[in-house]
Amino acid sequence: MTTSEIPANNTDAAQSKPTTLDFKGGGWVVVLALGLAAIVCVVQMIKIPDQLRWRDGQPPPPALSNSFDLHTATVPVGLIAVYRPKDAMQVMVDPSLLDREGMAEANKSNFTKYIVADDRVIGVTINGEARAYPLRVLTYHEVANDTLGGVPILVSYCPISGSAVVFDRRVGDKTLQFGMSGLIYNSNILLYDIQDDEPLESLWSQMTATPIQGVAAGKPSLKPLPSRVMFWQDWQDAHPDTTVIAGDPRLMKQYRSDPFLTYPTHDGTSKFPVRPLMPRDDGHTKDVFLIVRADGEEATFPSSQVEQNVDPGGTWRTTVGDTPVTIHFRKGRTLPHVLWAEADDPAKPLGSSQIAYRFVWYAHANAENVQASGQKPG
């Protein structure tokens, strides 16, 4: 029996009848999907060679570098990636301040308190003035261009690398102001110095405050300053007259949420290229490293090591070079815990101190080995 001879009421036969793909029957959906897939494939074929050249050590096109010319970069360009668009993060410039009364007012709400006892803060003292920079706030800004004790300073926190740093913003007779480039190098954000003429802007490593691209590349780094990452209660107890930066009133609810809450618990690097990778048996990748400089020497203190050496009061007395220091350790309800250093002798102050995750510190401390060996990021 031919198809034309099948009775109209023969259900089984009707179900087996071939379906013709036409626009009335919804075929346009399939055609549209195939067309979109073809467009995506063409775009990817155009993009891939650029990305491969970048990863092979050739500077990327402007679209893949937020328009920064990486031909002058002093670091492997294969370790630079786009984090977000340039200036997508609202940096802080001369932030408003809260004193004791202001903090009490900011904490009146039971649901969106601005700062509580176990919040981590970057604490800084300069020329007798003390100020706290809550990490919950800096997570949404990452950079604060501020002045403390008459000194223009850069306070920055990179949640991806766990790097909390403070630097003097003066270079020679010029005071720089920094913005967010949207780029990341070795899993650490890159800042840029804001210039009237955009081509004169340079990229700076957040962790080392070293210029790595542009007209400033190869010139002196910013001067690092001592800072402490502590719980707010500990900082306030030590500095009852401290001020606290006031955040953007529009972001008060966001400040109480942490998009990186579980990130420190995962034993692994970020999604961005990192080289060299730390040895697998070196410990947890996100173990917090305290880097202390004093007396021309630098020493690193992993939080896991400090935790094993502190006395019941949470302190460990040791030395950096010939400078006696006390390392403090406090456990929090969640990771990461906090640790900071203090000089025991006022006549022998610390040169600087900062923190970072172990995998990022290792990559930056051994970055020259990548350039020397020609390793490519994986």
Side-chain angles (χ1 to χ4, degrees), residues 22-207:
D22 56 22
F23 280 80
K24 183 180 295 186
W28 66 272
V29 176
V30 177
V31 173
L32 179 60
L34 291 174
L36 290 175
I39 292 173
V40 171
C41 288
V42 171
V43 171
Q44 290 302 316
M45 289 175 66
I46 294 173
K47 279 187 173 182
I48 286 174
D50 284 333
Q51 293 171 342
L52 290 178
R53 283 198 292 271
W54 191 0
R55 294 174 69 85
D56 284 341
Q58 297 301 315
L64 294 178
S65 61
N66 283 353
S67 296
F68 286 95
D69 182 3
L70 298 185
H71 286 84
T72 59
T74 60
V75 298
V77 293
L79 293 173
I80 298 176
V82 175
Y83 177 38
R84 52 168 59 96
K86 181 183 179 183
D87 294 325
M89 184 70 75
Q90 175 194 343
V91 302
M92 309 181 85
V93 179
D94 297 325
S96 300
L97 304 175
L98 299 175
D99 56 14
R100 186 187 298 271
E101 291 74 22
M103 284 180 276
E105 181 67 23
N107 278 346
K108 286 178 66 174
S109 171
N110 290 326
F111 301 101
T112 56
K113 290 186 182 298
Y114 184 63
I115 189 167
V116 296
D118 63 350
D119 277 343
R120 294 184 299 149
V121 302
I122 302 176
V124 191
T125 57
I126 300 177
N127 296 330
E129 290 190 37
R131 188 162 300 157
Y133 301 79
L135 295 193
R136 282 189 181 273
V137 174
L138 287 179
T139 293
Y140 289 89
H141 301 278
E142 298 191 356
V143 171
N145 295 278
D146 201 3
T147 301
L148 181 64
V151 178
I153 61 174
L154 164 69
V155 181
S156 180
Y157 173 58
C158 173
I160 292 176
S161 61
S163 175
V165 299
V166 180
F167 295 96
D168 188 325
R169 288 191 284 125
R170 295 173 294 188
V171 177
D173 60 354
K174 188 173 183 180
T175 297
L176 300 178
Q177 181 175 313
F178 290 89
M180 289 296 299
S181 73
L183 301 178
I184 196 162
Y185 162 66
N186 243 345
S187 205
N188 178 247
I189 56 175
L190 290 175
L191 316 180
Y192 76 95
D193 50 25
I194 300 174
Q195 305 288 342
D196 293 334
D197 190 357
E198 194 170 293
L200 297 180
E201 294 172 345
S202 299
L203 293 172
W204 297 67
S205 163
Q206 184 262 6
M207 186 167 170

